[in-house]
Amino acid sequence: AQRVTQPEKLLSVFKGAPVELKCNYSYSGSPELFWYVQYSRQRLQLLLRHISRESIKGFTADLNKGETSFHLKKPFAQEEDSAMYYCALLSGNTPLVFGKGTRLSVIA
Amino acid sequence: DAGITQSPRHKVTETGTPVTLRCHQTENHRYMYWYRQDPGHGLRLIHYSYGVKDTDKGEVSDGYSVSRSKTEDFLLTLESATSSQTSVYFCAISESRIEETQYFGPGTRLLVL
């Protein structure tokens, strides 16, 4: 069965420090991976998807099929990055599968 | 925000009572989804719909039913609410499964006493 693992429930970093939110998946085929973000008092929204290869708000994520990972990275954290981040997997004919989420807290 | 609304936004109910949550969209998207969000569990899919009268179960469908009689409305019903169904419920839509960029509603906080 498809599964998404986000090993950290909470990640605290200082402003200006690098951030890496980990995501690992299990799927034997060709996956599509996404990162969704939920800021305080806002709706959950798409941050980025691997096929678009974009950098959104300074965040990037590279799909590593060998390690089955899709870690989210940003070189310099900002206070406004504090939010809940969900990694999600699209595979085969099944709907998106979300991980349990990581709460990022950026400390001033 | 995509044209997605949820009603009610907050509800307190008692164990054993039926509850219906409504998701309404103005985007004419084909796919609609119901999730619940719980600490430590993240987002879990309850049911989804891929067209009018076409629905399928998600990961945590027990105790829930859905209906979609119009493209724009997707109803989630708790036939007999239990305390374990206390949660935040999110509706989402997507234009197609292949696209699968989902747009989320504002959520409904449900407390079952």
Side-chain angles (χ1 to χ4, degrees):
Chain A
Q2 299 87 344
R3 189 167 60 246
V4 176
T5 303
Q6 294 180 250
E8 303 133 331
K9 286 185 180 179
L10 173 66
L11 182 64
S12 296
V13 300
F14 286 102
K15 178 182 174 181
V19 175
E20 182 178 68
L21 297 164
K22 291 184 167 51
C23 172
N24 289 91
Y25 66 92
S26 62
Y27 178 58
S28 56
S30 294
E32 286 190 55
L33 276 297
F34 304 75
W35 277 99
Y36 280 79
V37 61
Q38 187 177 25
Y39 301 103
S40 179
R41 287 185 286 278
Q42 292 188 30
R43 302 183 186 202
L44 198 69
Q45 59 187 288
L46 178 68
L47 180 62
L48 56 80
R49 55 193 299 180
H50 88 271
I51 61 171
S52 61
R53 294 186 162 273
E54 293 175 299
S55 173
I56 306 293
K57 298 185 179 183
F59 284 98
T60 59
D62 291 318
L63 178 61
N64 185 323
K65 291 187 178 181
E67 296 183 358
T68 60
S69 68
F70 189 57
H71 302 328
L72 184 68
K73 300 177 183 179
K74 185 171 183 177
F76 307 104
Q78 304 297 316
E79 289 180 74
E80 55 266 30
D81 296 327
S82 295
M84 192 74 177
Y85 291 81
Y86 291 98
C87 183
L89 165 70
L90 181 64
S91 59
N93 290 319
T94 60
L96 272 181
V97 174
F98 285 85
K100 294 183 178 182
T102 298
R103 181 166 297 283
L104 175 64
S105 176
V106 181
I107 305 162
Chain B
D1 290 334
I4 312 167
T5 56
Q6 292 183 229
S7 59
R9 293 293 313 280
H10 303 272
K11 187 168 181 66
V12 180
T13 191
E14 294 186 349
T15 299
T17 59
V19 177
T20 295
L21 308 182
R22 179 182 182 233
C23 178
H24 179 77
Q25 60 141 331
T26 58
E27 305 296 322
N28 202 35
H29 281 4
R30 180 182 173 193
Y31 284 77
M32 299 185 75
Y33 311 82
W34 276 109
Y35 294 90
R36 57 179 293 174
Q37 183 185 45
D38 303 288
H41 292 278
L43 278 169
R44 292 180 292 175
L45 182 66
I46 305 171
H47 282 280
Y48 68 102
S49 169
Y50 46 96
V52 173
K53 292 186 168 52
D54 292 323
T55 64
D56 206 348
K57 295 180 180 180
E59 178 188 354
V60 290
S61 59
D62 287 348
Y64 301 94
S65 62
V66 290
S67 65
R68 191 165 177 204
S69 58
K70 298 185 289 185
T71 299
E72 58 266 34
D73 289 325
F74 192 33
L75 303 181
L76 176 70
T77 298
L78 291 65
E79 301 290 347
S80 178
T82 67
S83 58
S84 64
Q85 293 176 312
T86 291
S87 187
V88 180
Y89 290 86
F90 286 98
C91 174
I93 64 174
S94 66
E95 195 162 1
S96 71
R97 198 209 68 81
I98 308 277
E99 289 269 328
E100 212 67 33
T101 295
Q102 293 190 12
Y103 301 93
F104 283 80
T108 294
R109 288 188 176 275
L110 176 66
L111 174 61
V112 183
L113 300 174

